[in-house]
Amino acid sequence: MNQNNVFSGKNSLLDYYNPDKNPPTPLVEIPEHPFSADGVRIYAKLMSFLPATNIKSLPALNMLQDAQEDGRLNSKTKEVIEYSSGNTVISLAILGRIMGIPNVRALISNKTTDEKIKLLRFFGLDLTLYPGPSQPQPFDPLGGIRDAVELGKQPDTFTPNQYDNDMNYRAHMRWTGPQIIQQLPDISALACAVGTSGSMTGTGLYLKQQKPGTVIVGVCTAQGDRVPGPRTLELLQPVEFPWRESADCVEEIASPESFAMAMDLCRMGILCGPSSGLALCGLYSFLKRMKEEGKLDSLRNDQGQIPAVFLCMDGPLQYMSEFFDKIPESLLKPIRNSELLTVDTYPYLPAWEISPEQADEILLGSPSPESTRLPIVIIDIRRRSDSTTLPLTIRQRSGTSSAASILDLDIGAYPTDPNPFLDPSTMVSQWNALDKRLHNPADPVFGDHKLKGKMVICVCYSGGTARAAAPILRHRGLETYNVIGGLEEWCRSSRVVGIGRNQSNVKDSPVLAKL
């Protein structure tokens, strides 16, 4: 055992993925549950703690190692092909690269979620889409599973075929079952979601060998329903693994309950995917029936307890979109200020906000923070009545031309309006008005014919509205800044700008009374 959990040398990654060189994955008791008072102790076996964060990495490793041993997988192998859109083929991609296999190809349903397709591509998989059922029968001549087998007959190609490869379920006789017996020798029951049936079959057969009388509960998705990974009982029937010798009963669970249970486990601190929620729901269903039939005592050990385990196959993050499709809104807390989700959508950078002193220097000819000396346009975002009667003026140095041109933008903002960054309703109204004018490169006043090739400085009464405006123009590719504190701060100390045609001391300007 690698007690310090350090993996070094040329085989470090292979050793890291080898369960024989790692401690067992955690077995964590659920402190409170509906059967606590009945002496039932329920444990989550966290297979998500494997390096690939999913249980399917075990059969993937076992199938590849077995193929290496008999020569089906060798130095000439150029491609591994598998019908899988989930953890099996992701594990094959990771392990295949570690073992030096140039390409791993995933045959997947055209109904695979966009989220899952992105995940597969992230792991470097070569994808081929197939029409028809998302979970075809293993021997359907028109299905992707059968096609993967045929493609695997080509030279220098290997198809593990998890649906018909005994190394699938034997991986759990080799690793999962022994770990559970080591951790919980007096186990009474095991619940496991059933897809290819490998996890349930192998773990269950091993537990029955080591502790006869252990009850194995297979958990399938309800007929006509779908949880990623597990199959319905109907789709399980043709599977030729000896799952019937392992399973003592099969529970059928609907997807909403599975997803809700998985979310509850995650909130409890057991991070797991929907098939784990399915397994725990199935265990609860089994225990409830046994209790109603007066048979619960048959599961008790010598201490009068009923230790039960359910397998947590993977984590929740790759299923977020499906969680939110299945989870009722009543189980989720509301989002405050949700009106902000559709506005203020462009990024901000601190460098786009300049002090009044920096603004003065730019108008006096110094380079901008981006070291450019472009012609300057100031966008004055005040009400037209203010910008007309109290116009922004620029004091010119003797012998120079005007430092900047000024464009007025009236979006209906008052100097007494709340700061949009502190008031969501103000942000919604102001940002929509700003975006309508400033985001449009064909706008008659603020289009590219006016602003392209210019440096833009946005100002407003007290700074908030201009701060919201600058990222809109930045998104158009224009070098844009906003002045911190707005005209209130800029005009108070500026050597360059003023308010009013007489350019009098801004401290005496009536606009400040409005601010």
Side-chain angles (χ1 to χ4, degrees), residues 337-357:
N337 300 340
S338 60
E339 63 268 35
L340 294 177
L341 289 172
T342 57
V343 300
D344 191 32
T345 53
Y346 309 124
Y348 287 77
L349 282 181
W352 302 346
E353 300 189 66
I354 57 176
S355 67
E357 293 76 18

Side-chain angles (χ1 to χ4, degrees), residues 16 20 54 89 100 111 123 169 255 319 374 380 430 448 460 469:
Y16 175 49
D20 294 330
N54 73 80
V89 80
K111 297 162 187 64
F123 280 100
Y169 75 85
S255 59
Y319 306 108
L374 298 173
D380 182 356
Q430 290 192 2
D448 283 348
C460 62

Side-chain angles (χ1 to χ4, degrees), residues 221-236:
T221 310
Q223 184 66 28
D225 206 345
R226 181 182 175 274
V227 172
R231 291 177 165 244
T232 63
L233 184 55
E234 179 185 10
L235 290 175
L236 178 62

Side-chain angles (χ1 to χ4, degrees), residues 24 77 111-113 123 195 200 275 281 294 392 407 447 458 470 472 504 508:
T77 303
K111 297 162 187 64
T112 304
T113 64
F123 280 100
M200 181 200 68
S275 65
C281 285
L392 176 65
L407 298 176
C458 295
I472 299 174
S504 60
D508 300 323

Side-chain angles (χ1 to χ4, degrees), residues 103-392:
N103 191 53
V104 176
R105 184 174 166 194
L107 311 188
I108 65 174
S109 167
N110 64 338
K111 297 162 187 64
T112 304
T113 64
D114 182 62
E115 185 177 38
K116 185 64 72 66
I117 287 175
K118 288 177 179 176
L119 184 68
L120 295 172
R121 297 183 74 191
F122 176 84
F123 280 100
L125 282 150
D126 181 347
L127 304 185
T128 301
L129 301 181
Y130 281 75
S134 59
Q135 291 182 317
Q137 298 281 14
F139 302 106
D140 179 355
L142 302 178
I145 296 175
R146 197 65 194 159
D147 202 30
V149 173
E150 294 303 314
L151 290 171
K153 296 176 182 178
Q154 297 175 353
D156 305 328
T157 303
F158 171 62
T159 296
N161 191 12
Q162 61 175 323
Y163 307 93
D164 192 38
N165 187 331
D166 288 354
M167 293 302 111
N168 178 344
Y169 75 85
R170 290 187 180 278
H172 302 288
M173 300 184 75
R174 180 180 179 186
W175 290 308
T176 312
Q179 284 190 13
I180 292 174
I181 284 293
Q182 175 189 339
Q183 294 168 310
L184 195 67
D186 59 348
I187 182 174
S188 295
L190 170 78
C192 180
V194 183
T196 65
S197 80
S199 301
M200 181 200 68
T201 299
T203 307
L205 290 176
Y206 183 86
L207 294 179
K208 285 177 178 291
Q209 289 174 4
Q210 300 299 313
K211 189 177 182 296
T214 304
V215 176
I216 308 301
V217 181
V219 190
C220 287
T221 310
Q223 184 66 28
D225 206 345
R226 181 182 175 274
V227 172
R231 291 177 165 244
T232 63
L233 184 55
E234 179 185 10
L235 290 175
L236 178 62
Q237 297 300 331
V239 175
E240 294 188 347
F241 293 154
W243 62 269
R244 294 173 180 84
E245 299 173 25
S246 175
D248 294 286
C249 64
V250 175
E251 303 290 332
E252 296 178 272
I253 303 296
S255 59
E257 289 81 359
S258 303
F259 279 88
M261 182 65 77
M263 185 177 70
D264 193 48
L265 285 166
C266 288
R267 291 175 175 182
M268 183 190 303
I270 303 295
L271 273 61
C272 60
S275 65
S276 309
L278 180 93
L280 183 54
C281 285
L283 179 59
Y284 283 173
S285 177
F286 165 72
L287 291 170
K288 180 182 178 183
R289 188 174 67 256
M290 292 292 283
K291 184 176 180 178
E292 290 172 347
E293 295 175 357
K295 298 178 180 178
L296 206 54
D297 288 343
S298 66
L299 300 174
R300 297 192 189 280
N301 59 19
D302 293 341
Q303 289 75 42
Q305 296 178 340
I306 303 173
V309 173
F310 69 100
L311 294 186
C312 291
M313 306 293 200
D314 58 9
L317 299 183
Q318 62 178 301
Y319 306 108
M320 278 298 111
S321 64
E322 292 166 284
F323 268 105
F324 280 85
D325 286 341
K326 296 288 185 178
I327 296 296
E329 193 67 26
S330 60
L331 297 181
L332 303 168
K333 292 183 179 179
I335 300 174
R336 295 184 175 90
N337 300 340
S338 60
E339 63 268 35
L340 294 177
L341 289 172
T342 57
V343 300
D344 191 32
T345 53
Y346 309 124
Y348 287 77
L349 282 181
W352 302 346
E353 300 189 66
I354 57 176
S355 67
E357 293 76 18
Q358 286 177 291
D360 273 3
E361 292 302 319
I362 291 172
L363 290 178
L364 291 171
S366 296
S368 74
E370 296 178 19
S371 299
T372 60
R373 286 188 174 90
L374 298 173
I376 299 168
V377 175
I378 296 176
I379 297 181
D380 182 356
I381 311 173
R382 290 183 293 160
R383 294 184 67 80
R384 190 171 302 280
S385 57
D386 289 337
S387 62
T388 301
T389 59
L390 296 164
L392 176 65

Side-chain angles (χ1 to χ4, degrees), residues 353-356 459-464 466-467 482-492 515:
E353 300 189 66
I354 57 176
S355 67
V459 292
C460 62
Y461 292 107
S462 55
R467 187 182 187 224
N482 64 278
V483 180
I484 298 168
L487 289 172
E488 180 179 6
E489 294 297 327
W490 194 8
C491 293
R492 181 174 285 118
L515 297 170

